[in-house]
Amino acid sequence: MPEISDAIHAVLFDKDGTLFDFYKTWGPVTEEAALLVAKGDPVKARHILKESGKDLDTGKYIPGSPIASGSNREISDLWTSLAGRTDNDLVYAEVHALFLKRQATAATPVTDLDVLFTRLRAKGLSLGVATMDSEESARASMARFGVHGALDFICGFDTGHGVKPGGGMVEAFARDMNLRPSMIAVVGDSPHDMAMARAGKAGKAIGVLTGVSLRENLIDHGADVVIASIADLESVL
C-alpha cells in the first residue's frame, strides 16, 4: 500500500475552520447565539461579541480569542458574564442546543470530505478529529456528511482529553492508534491548533487559511507549513 510519508501515519484535524469553512458555518449562528444570551437585546449582543473577539467593523474574529478558539463551555461562561447573567448552566444548555440545531443546516465543508478521507485512508493513514466544540456536535457533523465511518477518533472539549492549546488530544489519538505522537500530523486553522501540535509532540503542524487566522499568525505559533485549505493537504504531508 503506498504511503504519503515514511514519518506521518495519521492526521488529526481540527473541525471548524479546517474541515468546515469557519465564517460560512459559524458567522450567522454565533450572532444568533449572542442575541439569545442577551435575551434579544441587540446592543448587549454586540457587546458580547466584541468583548469575546469579534471585530465589529470587519466582521472577522481575532485569532486566539475566546470566540475563535475557546470551547463551547468557555464561550458560554464568558457570554453569561458579559450579559450580566449568573445562570451559567442554563446558558450553556441553550447555546449548545442552538449550535447543534444550526450546524445541521449551516455546516459548510471546505471540500468533499468523503472524497478526501477516502484518498487519505487509501494511503494507509489513520484519521481523527479534535475540536473545541462538543464531542456530540462533532459526531453529529461527521455523521451528517456520511464520513464518521472514515474516522478512527473523534473528540471534543468535553471528551476528557483536555483542551487546546494543551497536547492531550494529540496524545490520546496516538494512544488509540498505537502510534508515537511524532507519527501524527495536526491540521488546523488557529494558533491553538498549532500550539496543541507542539504540546502533544506531533510530527507536523499544518495550518489552513479557511478559518480565523492569517498565514503569519499560524507560522508565528509553530506551523511547519500553511496551505490554502485541506484540499491541498496531500501535497504537504
Side-chain angles (χ1 to χ4, degrees):
M1 181 177 294
E3 290 186 0
I4 293 176
S5 165
D6 289 335
I8 298 301
H9 294 267
V11 182
L12 184 61
F13 294 94
D14 169 54
K15 181 168 73 72
D16 299 305
T18 302
L19 298 179
F20 300 99
D21 182 284
F22 190 91
Y23 287 103
K24 290 179 181 178
T25 298
W26 284 104
V29 179
T30 303
E31 293 185 8
E32 184 179 358
L35 192 60
L36 175 67
V37 176
K39 296 186 175 180
D41 184 334
V43 174
K44 187 174 288 187
R46 283 172 61 84
H47 170 70
I48 287 171
L49 290 170
K50 180 177 183 294
E51 294 302 315
S52 54
K54 183 174 183 179
D55 184 324
L56 299 181
D57 293 326
T58 65
K60 300 295 185 181
Y61 299 127
I62 298 170
S65 65
I67 202 171
S69 301
S71 70
N72 283 7
R73 184 75 208 207
E74 289 168 340
I75 293 169
S76 69
D77 282 348
L78 175 60
W79 285 5
T80 302
S81 175
L82 291 170
R85 297 174 59 173
T86 58
D87 50 343
N88 295 58
D89 290 342
L90 177 60
V91 171
Y92 172 71
E94 291 177 343
V95 169
H96 177 61
L98 177 63
F99 284 170
L100 275 176
K101 180 180 178 181
R102 291 291 181 261
Q103 276 197 93
T105 56
T108 305
V110 168
T111 190
D112 188 318
L113 298 179
D114 185 42
V115 170
L116 175 63
F117 289 173
T118 297
R119 288 203 308 263
L120 294 176
R121 291 191 69 86
K123 292 172 167 59
L125 292 165
S126 300
L127 306 178
V129 170
T131 177
M132 290 292 272
D133 199 353
S134 68
E135 180 181 336
E136 178 185 14
S137 180
R139 291 189 178 279
S141 295
M142 297 301 105
R144 180 191 167 213
F145 289 95
V147 295
H148 55 298
L151 294 163
D152 303 287
F153 177 88
I154 299 175
C155 77
F157 80 92
D158 53 354
T159 302
H161 303 311
V163 297
K164 303 174 187 180
M169 294 180 178
V170 176
E171 294 164 357
F173 184 40
R175 287 194 302 271
D176 278 14
M177 297 300 101
N178 195 29
L179 297 172
R180 294 187 300 277
S182 60
M183 296 176 174
I184 295 171
V186 169
V187 185
D189 73 299
S190 79
H192 273 28
D193 294 317
M194 302 302 99
M196 175 184 72
R198 294 307 176 205
K201 296 181 171 54
K204 198 160 194 174
I206 301 170
V208 293
L209 299 176
T210 45
V212 299
S213 301
L214 299 175
R215 184 180 302 273
E216 53 266 33
N217 298 136
L218 296 167
I219 291 174
D220 287 347
H221 286 83
D224 294 303
V225 63
V226 178
I227 55 178
S229 80
I230 55 171
D232 300 326
L233 180 60
E234 288 161 288
S235 68
V236 298
L237 278 175

